Amino acid sequence: MGTTQLQTVPESKYWHLRTVLAEALDSDFAVGEVLPNERELAARFGVARATLRQALEQLELEGRLQRRRGVGTTVAPPRVGVAVSTPRDEWPGADEEAWQPLDHGTAAAPAAVARLLETGEGEEVHTVRRIRITNGQSVAAELIYVPSSSVPELSAIEAPSGPARARAVLRELQRLALDAPERAVELGSARAEDAKELDRLPGAPVLVVTTRYVVAGRTAAVSVATYRADTCRLTFGDSGDLEISEAPEETRQAS
Amino acid sequence: MGTTQLQTVPESKYWHLRTVLAEALDSDFAVGEVLPNERELAARFGVARATLRQALEQLELEGRLQRRRGVGTTVAPPRVGVAVSTPRDEWPGADEEAWQPLDHGTAAAPAAVARLLETGEGEEVHTVRRIRITNGQSVAAELIYVPSSSVPELSAIEAPSGPARARAVLRELQRLALDAPERAVELGSARAEDAKELDRLPGAPVLVVTTRYVVAGRTAAVSVATYRADTCRLTFGDSGDLEISEAPEETRQAS
C-alpha cells in the first residue's frame, strides 16, 4: 500500500494549539465555564486569530467546546454514554422511553440495504424514522427499513400514517423471534435532514450504526442510525447503565 | 439546551461541492481511478481552487479518496469491515493472526483507566502495545493496561522485554475466566504515536474503542484501541466474516 497521507500538511500549527488548548481545558477550566474571547486567547497563546479559530472549531467538532450565540464559547460536559447493544438485544420499539417514532413512509431502499434485505431493485419497503433522546437532547436519528414480507399482518386501515403508523410497523416486527442482531459502526458526516434533527450543521461528524435484524437466518429489517459524535460514546455489551463512565484521559486527549 | 451550532458557517460551499463530488465518484469513477488534476476539476465544477481543495481533503479524511505522492488522487476502495466483537469474545492475544504485539512497558495508567482498574493513583501497571493488520495494512493501534494483580504468576525472568514479554503478559491474562467484555466506541483524533503506526497525520479522525475486561465482577484489564476511521467499519456481534459487506449507499453518501 502506498502512503495515503495528504501532500500538504496544513494541520500542524493548529493541531499543536488544539492539543495545548485541550490540556488547558482539563487543568484550568470547569465544565460550563466561558472561555476568554478570541483576541485574548490568541494573545495568551501567541498565535494568529485564524489559527486559534481553527483549533477552537476542531475542539467544538470533538465536543470539547460549545459555542452558543449570546453566551460565547463554553467548556462542554463529558460525552454521554449511550447503550447501542446490551446482552438482551431487542427489536426497535421495545425501548420506547429512549426512542421516539417520528413518522412512517414507503420508499425504495438504497441499493446496499436492498441487497441485505434481499428485496428486488426498486421494491418499496416501509420506512420508520425515529429520534433518540438522552437527557432531554436528541443524540441520534434513525431510519429503519422494513419489507412488507416482514410484517404481513400489518393492517392498512389501522393507524394509516405518522408516528402511530410507525409504531404499528414496529409492533408487528416485535412478533418475530429475533436472532442476535449484527451491527457495524463507522464514521459519517451528518446529512442535512439528520443534522437538523441533531441540532448540528450538515457535515458534522457522526457515528453511523447499521443494524441488521436477523430472523431465522434472513434479514427482516435494517436500520441506519446516526449518532452525534461530539456528545456520544456508544456502549456495547454492558447492562445499559454506563459502567465505562468517562473516557480515559488518554482517549480524551486524543479525541 | 441552547444551540451548539457554530456562529459562522464556513462549510456550506465546500460541503455542497463535497456532496456533488461524492456522487460523481459513485457514478463516474471506478475504484483506483486517478482523478483529473485540481485545475481541471475546479473548472469542471465551476469553483475556486481553495474550495475544491477543501472538498478533496474532506473526502480524503472520510476515506473516499486517497492521495499518493507521484500518483495523484485516486478513488479509494470501500471501507473494510473489522470485527471488534464476536459472540465468542476472548482475551487479547487469543487472535494472534489479526494483532501483533509490539512491545511491553510499565506506566502509571491514565486517571480514568486507573479508576476502572481500581488501582491506586500513580500505581504502575503493565502496558502492552499491539497493532492490528488487515489485508496487509495497519488498521488499529492498541494499548492494553494490565495491573500486576491480574497476572500474579508472571515471571520477571522469562521474556523480560519486547514483544515476547508482551505475549507473556497476554498469556497470563488468558488463564483468567473472562466475563463478557464491555466496550465503548467514540470518535477521536490520532495522537502522534498512533498516527505514525496507522500511516496517518496526527489529528486524523479515528474510532476509539475502550474495552473493559471483567473477571469475577472486577476489571482485570482495560484496552484503548484506535482504529482508522477512513478505512474501517467496526462490526459487532457477527461471526467475524463480514455479513454487512458494504455500507448502505445512504451511509456511504453521508460518510
Side-chain angles (χ1 to χ4, degrees):
Chain A
M1 298 294 298
T3 174
T4 58
Q5 294 195 345
L6 292 177
Q7 284 167 339
T8 54
V9 186
E11 288 93 338
S12 52
K13 198 162 196 173
Y14 98 85
W15 183 255
H16 175 71
L17 177 61
R18 176 223 154 273
T19 306
V20 171
L21 276 173
E23 281 162 13
L25 293 182
D26 285 336
S27 56
D28 306 346
F29 291 90
V31 168
E33 198 173 336
V34 179
L35 253 58
N37 66 39
E38 287 186 1
R39 197 159 45 84
E40 265 177 74
L41 282 174
R44 190 200 288 193
F45 291 97
V47 295
R49 286 282 283 276
T51 307
L52 176 76
R53 208 168 289 140
Q54 250 188 314
L56 293 177
E57 277 170 14
Q58 174 66 26
L59 289 168
E60 201 265 347
L61 279 177
E62 293 171 16
R64 302 293 313 266
L65 294 176
Q66 292 180 324
R67 303 212 215 176
R68 306 185 201 171
R69 222 176 281 273
V71 177
T73 302
T74 57
V75 179
R79 286 179 179 161
V80 175
V82 184
V84 166
S85 165
T86 61
R88 209 166 38 89
D89 264 311
E90 284 166 333
W91 281 108
D95 50 353
E96 285 240 336
E97 67 296 339
W99 290 93
Q100 292 179 4
L102 292 186
D103 54 25
H104 167 271
T106 55
V113 171
R115 261 199 306 282
L116 289 175
L117 292 173
E118 298 175 61
T119 52
E121 186 95 12
E123 186 183 323
E124 295 227 322
V125 299
H126 296 281
T127 58
V128 170
R129 196 159 177 84
R130 304 193 300 168
I131 54 169
R132 181 168 182 163
I133 311 283
T134 299
N135 302 339
Q137 202 184 8
S138 310
V139 293
E142 184 181 47
L143 204 52
I144 311 171
Y145 300 92
V146 184
S148 303
S149 58
S150 294
V151 289
E153 308 285 309
L154 186 71
S155 146
I157 301 150
E158 178 214 4
S161 67
R165 180 71 171 170
R167 276 195 201 90
V169 171
L170 299 183
R171 245 192 334 263
E172 281 301 308
L173 270 185
Q174 288 161 31
R175 298 161 62 138
L176 304 173
L178 177 65
D179 299 350
E182 295 175 4
R183 289 197 169 80
V185 179
E186 62 187 314
L187 177 63
S189 304
R191 287 173 305 158
E193 189 184 18
D194 294 333
K196 209 173 128 201
E197 274 161 16
L198 299 175
D199 192 16
R200 301 259 73 197
L201 290 177
V206 291
L207 297 168
V208 179
V209 180
T210 304
T211 306
R212 185 177 171 214
Y213 293 95
V214 180
V215 169
R218 292 181 68 109
T219 312
V222 170
S223 78
V224 180
T226 301
Y227 286 81
R228 281 182 67 149
D230 58 334
T231 56
C232 292
R233 192 169 60 258
L234 311 183
T235 70
F236 290 82
D238 64 15
S239 55
D241 320 327
L242 190 66
E243 303 265 17
I244 300 174
S245 64
E246 213 182 302
E249 239 160 47
E250 196 96 338
T251 313
R252 203 55 195 168
Q253 280 180 23
S255 69
Chain B
M1 297 298 296
T3 174
T4 58
Q5 296 195 343
L6 293 176
Q7 285 167 341
T8 54
V9 186
E11 288 93 337
S12 53
K13 197 163 196 172
Y14 97 85
W15 183 257
H16 175 71
L17 177 61
R18 175 223 154 273
T19 306
V20 171
L21 277 173
E23 281 162 13
L25 293 182
D26 285 336
S27 56
D28 306 346
F29 292 90
V31 167
E33 198 173 335
V34 179
L35 254 58
N37 68 36
E38 288 188 1
R39 199 160 44 82
E40 265 177 73
L41 281 175
R44 190 200 289 194
F45 290 98
V47 295
R49 287 281 281 277
T51 307
L52 176 76
R53 208 168 289 140
Q54 250 188 314
L56 293 177
E57 278 170 13
Q58 174 65 26
L59 289 168
E60 201 265 348
L61 279 176
E62 293 171 16
R64 301 294 311 269
L65 293 176
Q66 291 180 324
R67 303 211 216 178
R68 304 185 201 172
R69 222 176 282 271
V71 177
T73 302
T74 57
V75 179
R79 287 179 179 161
V80 175
V82 185
V84 166
S85 164
T86 61
R88 209 166 38 90
D89 263 311
E90 284 166 334
W91 281 108
D95 49 355
E96 285 238 337
E97 67 294 342
W99 289 93
Q100 291 179 4
L102 292 185
D103 54 24
H104 166 270
T106 55
V113 172
R115 260 199 306 282
L116 289 175
L117 292 173
E118 299 175 60
T119 54
E121 186 94 14
E123 185 184 324
E124 295 225 322
V125 299
H126 296 281
T127 57
V128 170
R129 197 160 175 82
R130 304 193 300 169
I131 54 167
R132 181 169 181 162
I133 310 282
T134 299
N135 301 340
Q137 201 183 9
S138 310
V139 293
E142 184 181 47
L143 204 53
I144 310 172
Y145 300 92
V146 184
S148 304
S149 58
S150 295
V151 288
E153 309 284 310
L154 185 72
S155 147
I157 301 150
E158 178 215 2
S161 67
R165 181 71 171 166
R167 275 195 201 90
V169 171
L170 299 183
R171 246 193 332 265
E172 279 305 300
L173 269 185
Q174 288 161 30
R175 297 161 60 136
L176 303 173
L178 177 64
D179 300 347
E182 296 175 1
R183 290 197 169 82
V185 179
E186 62 187 314
L187 177 63
S189 303
R191 288 174 305 157
E193 190 183 15
D194 295 332
K196 209 174 128 202
E197 274 163 14
L198 299 175
D199 192 17
R200 300 261 71 199
L201 290 177
V206 291
L207 296 168
V208 179
V209 180
T210 304
T211 306
R212 188 180 169 210
Y213 293 95
V214 180
V215 169
R218 291 182 69 110
T219 311
V222 169
S223 78
V224 179
T226 299
Y227 286 82
R228 281 181 66 150
D230 58 334
T231 55
C232 293
R233 192 171 60 259
L234 311 183
T235 70
F236 290 83
D238 65 16
S239 54
D241 318 327
L242 191 65
E243 302 265 19
I244 299 175
S245 64
E246 213 181 300
E249 240 160 47
E250 197 93 340
T251 312
R252 202 55 195 167
Q253 280 181 22
S255 70

